[in-house]
Amino acid sequence: MLDIVAVPAFADNYLWLVHDRDSGETAVVDPGDAAPVLAECENRGWAISQIWNTHWHPDHTGGNLAVKQATGAPISGPAAENIPGRDVILSEGGEVRLGAHIGRVIEVPGHTLGHIALIFDEERVAFVGDTLFAMGCGRLFEGTPEQMYRSLQRLTALPEDTRLYCAHEYTLTNGLFAAHAEPANSAVSERLDEVKHARAEGKATVPTTVALERETNPFVRATNVDEFARLRKEKDSFRS
């Protein structure tokens, strides 16, 4: 069994700790800041044995070297990107292991050119970094609309009960845009109400699921690349 814990960092990041009870191993996904993940592990009596990066941005890799220095954990990250301290190169078709749990690597460019996601098929778990957010998607800092659209389609082709662990708490602003983009979608309005309530109580709105994103994420629901590109451009300048 995997225990997955969100560690808040910066203004809105989630750094994920993944713990395998059987082996006692713990991985940290996208440690942008070392201090909070090391503190959380000390609290829980866990020892970090691996570091997994989805892409190079500093809010995902800034704590790599400090965590590695503190724990000796090797760093795994995407082949096409400059990952601080990387020991293991990850690319399409590769894998990570935590005890008996196997996560396969898929390449999901768009936010960055070398972005990857880690898919644990048996556990119905995916770590998606900044590619897909609850009710939204990452900005196109390096990639093209075609790349991001395909990446989102790959992620949402996973089984509908797959839990998607994204790296930011953006759901409220994404939901407001989704309601603007699809005003007649009752699933969007219902989910937005739930998100507003959760955030008012200081609760996290992630992970999300493939099923929820298929129903309420306008970027996933776009029927072609042109529609996706229009929505992404509109979202970039959207003010709620």
Side-chain angles (χ1 to χ4, degrees):
M1 182 174 179
L2 291 178
D3 294 319
I4 303 175
V5 175
V7 180
F10 310 122
D12 49 39
N13 280 69
Y14 289 126
L15 322 178
W16 297 105
L17 291 173
V18 190
H19 179 72
D20 172 40
R21 295 184 188 180
D22 291 334
S23 67
E25 283 196 76
T26 304
V28 57
V29 184
D30 287 341
D33 188 1
V37 291
L38 293 171
E40 185 67 28
C41 282
E42 185 174 359
N43 248 3
R44 293 174 176 270
W46 295 351
I48 294 174
S49 53
Q50 296 186 55
I51 300 163
W52 300 337
N53 291 132
T54 62
H55 64 292
W56 70 267
H57 285 166
D59 62 320
H60 294 253
T61 62
N64 274 15
L65 298 180
V67 174
K68 185 176 182 178
Q69 183 175 18
T71 65
I75 297 168
S76 301
E81 300 196 347
N82 183 16
I83 303 296
R86 183 180 58 202
D87 302 289
V88 180
I89 291 173
L90 300 177
S91 57
E92 182 79 28
E95 63 182 35
V96 295
R97 289 177 177 259
L98 194 70
H101 304 277
I102 300 174
R104 61 186 173 94
V105 178
I106 68 169
E107 294 173 357
V108 285
H111 182 66
T112 65
L113 288 176
H115 203 301
I116 62 169
L118 304 173
I119 315 297
F120 290 81
D121 292 296
E122 288 191 17
E123 297 79 6
R124 296 288 202 268
V125 162
F127 296 98
V128 299
D130 285 0
T131 297
L132 186 150
F133 295 124
M135 305 184 83
C137 72
R139 286 179 179 263
L140 303 181
F141 286 122
E142 296 175 5
T144 65
E146 290 80 7
Q147 287 175 317
M148 181 63 97
Y149 182 70
R150 179 175 181 271
S151 295
L152 295 176
Q153 294 299 305
R154 292 191 76 187
L155 291 172
T156 53
L158 294 168
E160 64 177 15
D161 60 342
T162 303
R163 287 170 290 151
L164 304 171
Y165 290 84
C166 54
H168 290 275
E169 181 58 70
Y170 288 163
T171 318
L172 181 54
T173 54
N174 287 341
L176 291 170
F177 177 75
H180 163 78
E182 295 192 30
N185 187 335
S186 61
V188 167
S189 57
E190 289 169 15
R191 188 178 182 190
L192 180 55
D193 286 342
E194 293 170 2
V195 168
K196 287 177 178 177
H197 184 71
R199 294 309 296 152
E201 295 186 346
K203 295 178 180 177
T205 63
V206 295
T208 181
T209 66
V210 168
L212 266 175
E213 297 315 302
R214 289 176 186 169
E215 291 181 345
T216 63
N217 188 326
F219 300 104
V220 167
R221 292 167 57 79
T223 55
N224 56 57
V225 172
D226 289 341
E227 183 183 355
F228 168 81
R230 176 185 61 78
L231 287 166
R232 185 61 262 181
K233 186 175 181 181
E234 191 174 343
K235 175 66 165 61
D236 288 344
S237 58
F238 179 72
R239 298 291 180 268
S240 58

